[in-house]
Structures are given as structure tokens and as C-alpha cells.
Amino acid sequence: MRQYFIAGNWKMHKTVPEAQALAQELVKSLKDGPNKYMIAPSFTALDAVSKIVKGTNILLGAQNMSTDEQGAHTGEVSVLQLKDLGVQVVILGHSERRHIYKEDDAMINKKVKLALAHGLEVILCIGELLEEREAGKAEAVCEEQTRKGLEGISAEELKKVTIAYEPVWAIGTGKVATPEDAEAIHAYVRKVIADMYGKEAAENIIIQYGGSMKAENCAGLLAKPDIDGGLIGGAALKADTFTPIALCK
Ligand code: PEP
């Protein structure tokens, strides 16, 4: 039986005091929660939030990291620096990284390998654009991003990978995929994992849904057999909106 994994991506929001206040509220509200949790503040707030979530049931996540361990990469943050701050999970291949910052599958794969080599957990984001869905290519796009994102990753390493299916047209738009449409892709991606790693790995891998997930729609999505949690953007910015999702059983 897979445990739900509910993760909050705070994106480029919140000053340090605001991030501290939200983290403190979540530590209280999720203390006895039934699921696995992660929050990913901006880089600037990682240190402060790390001190608040340390020793709690909330993992500390980062929203991105460099392809390289160190070196001449102005403006980038390395896996070693993230680990220094107590980061345990890193979100890679988020659609905003793919589409605004033009990260491709090869670059994302390099990051996935580096994060896993340093013992971090990875949330690998995949998802199709609206025009790809309308052209009937949603499964093919998600399959390609999954296969290329995981190229060279062993079955043992896969145990530290979560996949987040995030249809790009549903992110931050208020347009949520129907539970049926989301489930179809989740089941398909699980089949791809079975083909790559075998049945047991496919049964065990957590596949989150992301895209305008809220208290009002999370129960319907999470009731589907292949939807194992959520990667939440907008609704993760307030304890009042994140907590009801996080407590969903
Ligand atoms: C996200 O950015 O990963 C996301 C799912 O955002 P939102 O919940 O705001 O759609």
C-alpha cells in the first residue's frame, strides 16, 4: 500500500519571516497527519525553514538545483549547498523550469543523477502542454519525459524518486484535470515504469498529481488508484488551504 505524499512548492513567494511563519503553522497542523509531507521554500528561506522543520514529519525540499556539484555557474545552487542546509528532497523538471528556463530532458536527467548520487530524494515533474493534449500526445510526452528523466537510474535509486504528473495547462490556472483524465496518465506512467523496472518497482513508485489541486478537488483525485499524492503550488502558500489537502486520507 502506497502512502500519499503531499508536497508544497512555494515557488518565488515569501520573505524569510513569512516563510518561517507558514512553516511554524504547518509543523503544528500536520503534526499527527497520516501522510508523507514536504515543503519547498525559495532558496533564500531554506536555512530558516530548515531549523523549523528539523525533527518533524515535514521534509525540507528545494525547488531546483544545478547540474554541477560546484564551479563557475553564476546564479546556480549546488547539491552540496542544499545538503548543507538540511535539504532532503529536490523538485526537478518542474514545467516552469522546462518552459520558461528551457531545461531539456538531458539536463534534467543530469540533475536527477546528481541529486540521487548525493542521497537526496527527487520529485521528477512531467506533463504535457495544452496543444500536446489536444493533439492526442499527452501519453507520449509523459512517457518520453519519464524515460529520459530516468535514463541511467538504477532500480535501487528509483526508490528515492517520486514522479509528479503536472499537466502544464492545469498549473496555476485553476483548471484541474478531471480525476479520470489524471488517472489515465498516472496509470500509463506506472506502466512505463513497469516496462523499465518491473512490476514491483511500478507498484511502489509514488506518482503525485499537480495542477490546481485544492481542498475542494483533492479527495476526488486522491481516490483514484494510481494517484498517490499531490504537488501543490498556489494552495500551498497558506496553512488554511494546504492543511486540508495534507490531511486527506
Ligand atoms: C505546481 O507549480 O507544481 C503547481 C501544481 O501549482 P498549482 O497548484 O498552483 O497549480
Side-chain angles (χ1 to χ4, degrees):
M1 191 58 193
R2 297 181 294 268
Q3 186 189 25
Y4 290 150
F5 182 10
I6 310 290
N9 172 10
W10 296 358
K11 307 195 182 183
M12 199 173 65
H13 293 286
K14 302 203 179 287
T15 60
V16 171
E18 287 167 350
Q20 286 172 309
L22 177 54
Q24 272 154 356
E25 282 186 81
L26 293 175
V27 165
K28 279 194 220 134
S29 67
L30 304 185
K31 187 166 61 77
D32 300 313
N35 303 313
K36 176 175 173 178
Y37 302 119
M38 182 214 76
I39 51 177
S42 302
F43 290 135
T44 53
L46 279 173
D47 189 36
V49 170
S50 178
K51 291 178 177 118
I52 294 166
V53 299
K54 192 169 183 198
T56 73
N57 60 343
I58 303 177
L59 297 171
L60 184 66
Q63 300 170 18
N64 185 29
M65 61 171 232
S66 169
T67 48
D68 286 67
E69 245 171 39
Q70 58 185 320
H73 290 273
T74 303
E76 289 290 299
V77 175
S78 94
V79 64
L80 302 175
Q81 294 164 333
L82 295 180
K83 284 183 66 180
D84 246 3
L85 298 179
V87 167
Q88 295 147 298
V89 186
V90 61
I91 300 170
L92 296 173
H94 190 277
S95 73
E96 287 148 19
R97 301 300 318 171
R98 290 179 189 267
H99 299 293
I100 305 174
Y101 298 101
K102 309 294 174 210
E103 292 192 11
D104 61 14
D105 287 314
M107 187 180 199
I108 293 161
N109 176 249
K110 196 170 173 198
K111 295 183 181 195
V112 171
K113 283 181 177 151
L114 187 61
L116 293 172
H118 283 277
L120 292 186
E121 284 189 43
V122 167
I123 297 179
L124 171 63
C125 302
I126 60 166
E128 81 285 358
L129 297 164
L130 183 59
E131 54 266 37
E132 291 167 334
R133 170 157 287 263
E134 286 173 348
K137 293 183 182 156
E139 287 183 352
V141 168
C142 292
E143 175 165 1
E144 184 172 1
Q145 291 176 351
T146 302
R147 288 189 185 273
K148 290 189 172 168
L150 295 176
E151 214 169 272
I153 301 305
S154 69
E156 196 50 38
E157 288 174 314
L158 188 75
K159 292 179 183 162
K160 292 197 124 180
V161 177
T162 293
I163 292 179
Y165 168 56
E166 301 205 301
V168 181
W169 46 272
I171 297 179
T173 58
K175 278 189 217 157
V176 64
T178 64
E180 292 68 29
D181 284 346
E183 169 62 17
I185 299 289
H186 282 240
Y188 185 78
V189 171
R190 204 177 295 286
K191 263 201 259 163
V192 171
I193 296 292
D195 182 55
M196 294 173 75
Y197 293 97
K199 210 166 166 241
E200 196 186 331
E203 276 305 310
N204 290 333
I205 196 161
I206 300 294
I207 309 179
Q208 297 171 321
Y209 169 80
S212 301
M213 197 187 239
K214 300 185 186 68
E216 304 82 68
N217 57 33
C218 66
L221 288 158
L222 293 171
K224 292 293 178 191
D226 291 291
I227 302 183
D228 311 316
L231 179 55
I232 326 291
L237 295 175
K238 287 187 187 158
D240 283 1
T241 50
F242 189 65
T243 302
I245 307 172
L247 296 182
C248 214
K249 282 198 253 188

